[in-house]
Amino acid sequence: MPQPRAPHRIAVVAPSPVSMFNLAIPEMLFGKVEVAGLPGYEVVICAAEPGPVPTSGGLDLYVRHGLDAVREADTVLVAGTGEPFEPEPRIVTAVREAADAGKRIASLCTGAFQLAEAGLLHGRRATTYWAHAEELRRRYPHVDLRGDVLYVQDGPYVTSSGYAAGIDLCLHIIRTDYGAAVANEVARRALVAPVRPGGQTQFTQTPLPPERGNACADTRGWAMRNLDKPLTLTDLARHAGVSVRTLTRRFRAESGVSPLQWLLHQRIERAKELLETTALPMDQVARACGLGTADSLRGHLVRRTGLTPSGYRAQFSRLATTGAAGTGATGVTSSVA
């Protein structure tokens, strides 16, 4: 009888004074993923010194685990700190040893300074909170700093910019480990934006900015449920009960892009999800996500990812590991309270 699969272990390192928001993100997202009824991740928060850890908000959090958790983890994620210019030597050493052991290393916000101090980002693409980007560039000139992305992965190292971009980084990791269907479901249940590309060279694009309102939320939800239909601006405006001009103005104010740009982004994301989780022929994938034909699907996907649909499926398909059928079943479920 096969042994139950062990969950992927993630050690979240809390430098002092740590960002409480950074610590909440991994628990909210990783902690609720299930695979075949079993936890997909085991999340442990640790610090250089177990016990009370000051936060950037003036409170103390009690952290039970020390840096031994880093040695036992599969992925190490360093949270942001209110004092990024003073990396904790014990954390730097632990992160460097984890990298030498072949673990995936990630940082949220100003946690990138710890990775840079450990020498992990030398000659690699990385990002951090925009307000401290120039200081990171000054202190670590050999880092290929990308200041205009949500997150970036270079080899086994993943860094995010500030605040909500940490959500995007965690969803990216979930997608890498378990596929787009799981990551998008986690996003839907957590009421955050779906998986957004962050800026990796092989998937370069302008990511959707965070949504800044909800006047068009019902229409966005309706459009997501009807991506297989040939939706037009008039259709979207009719659903919203406003003119096309008003819809366009509100949509851009809330989403940062035009309604049709947003719609195309969602169609391509749906196509990627179907390519990962089903064996549907390309023309059926194209119709299911509203891109029309296999040629249209190919053109959009190549522009967005640099891969043809068949190439994307070959690289990211989850069928071999999940036993999914062409109906779209992934054998993976997720839930977020």
Side-chain angles (χ1 to χ4, degrees):
M1 182 175 180
Q3 295 297 314
R5 173 200 49 79
H8 186 99
R9 293 167 297 181
I10 295 185
V12 181
V13 182
S16 175
V18 69
S19 163
M20 290 189 293
F21 184 58
N22 277 189
L23 292 184
I25 291 170
E27 176 59 28
M28 177 181 70
L29 299 174
F30 295 129
K32 304 303 180 181
V33 175
E34 294 183 358
V35 181
L38 298 173
Y41 295 97
E42 175 187 324
V43 180
V44 176
I45 297 175
C46 61
E49 193 69 41
V53 175
T55 71
S56 54
L59 301 176
D60 284 351
L61 294 178
Y62 191 87
V63 178
R64 296 187 179 89
H65 301 279
L67 295 177
D68 286 348
V70 170
R71 289 191 287 272
E72 299 170 358
D74 303 303
T75 293
V76 179
L77 194 160
V78 182
T81 170
E83 297 180 0
F85 309 146
E86 299 179 10
E88 160 60 53
R90 288 172 291 180
I91 293 177
V92 171
T93 298
V95 167
R96 185 185 296 120
E97 290 176 350
D100 290 342
K103 302 176 188 296
R104 178 171 57 194
I105 312 293
S107 67
L108 302 180
C109 195
T110 56
F113 282 81
Q114 310 277 343
L115 274 61
E117 182 69 15
L120 306 187
L121 304 182
H122 190 101
R124 292 184 179 272
R125 300 185 306 277
T127 191
T128 190
Y129 181 44
W130 66 268
H132 298 312
E134 286 306 315
E135 184 63 21
L136 189 143
R137 182 178 283 113
R138 187 186 71 80
R139 289 171 178 261
Y140 307 102
H142 295 295
V143 176
D144 182 4
L145 188 65
R146 305 298 176 94
D148 57 350
V149 298
L150 295 173
Y151 60 88
V152 59
Q153 177 161 0
D154 192 329
Y157 307 124
V158 197
T159 54
S160 80
S161 54
Y163 295 103
I167 296 175
D168 295 293
L169 179 144
C170 291
L171 289 173
H172 166 71
I173 289 176
I174 294 171
R175 177 177 185 159
T176 299
D177 293 342
Y178 296 115
V182 173
N184 286 338
E185 179 63 14
V186 168
R188 283 191 289 268
R189 292 182 179 272
L191 301 179
V192 297
V195 181
R196 299 185 291 175
Q200 306 96 313
T201 298
Q202 66 270 32
F203 299 113
T204 299
Q205 71 173 83
T206 302
L208 294 185
E211 292 172 358
R212 298 184 294 271
N214 58 12
C216 297
D218 286 345
T219 296
R220 287 195 294 267
W222 172 79
M224 290 290 291
R225 295 189 295 274
N226 290 275
L227 288 178
D228 59 324
K229 298 179 174 61
L231 301 177
T232 65
L233 267 177
T234 300
D235 295 328
L236 296 172
R238 184 182 299 115
H239 182 274
V242 297
S243 68
V244 168
R245 177 175 293 182
T246 298
L247 174 80
T248 301
R249 184 179 69 252
R250 290 180 180 175
F251 219 99
R252 189 175 290 278
E254 291 184 10
S255 301
V257 294
S258 72
L260 293 184
Q261 287 174 321
W262 178 90
L263 189 60
L264 177 60
H265 178 91
Q266 304 305 335
R267 292 191 191 284
I268 294 172
E269 286 301 301
R270 178 67 55 81
K272 288 157 70 176
E273 181 175 326
L274 292 173
L275 290 170
E276 291 181 24
T277 61
T278 78
L280 290 172
M282 298 307 173
D283 57 343
Q284 292 186 34
V285 171
R287 289 196 298 270
C289 62
L291 290 175
T293 67
D295 285 343
S296 177
L297 168 65
R298 178 187 177 89
H300 284 297
L301 201 66
V302 167
R303 282 191 293 273
R304 187 62 57 90
T305 70
L307 297 173
T308 64
S310 58
Y312 186 91
R313 173 172 277 166
Q315 185 166 343
F316 295 106
S317 174
R318 302 287 160 171
L319 297 182
T321 57
T322 63
T327 59
T330 64
V332 181
T333 61
S334 63
S335 62
V336 175

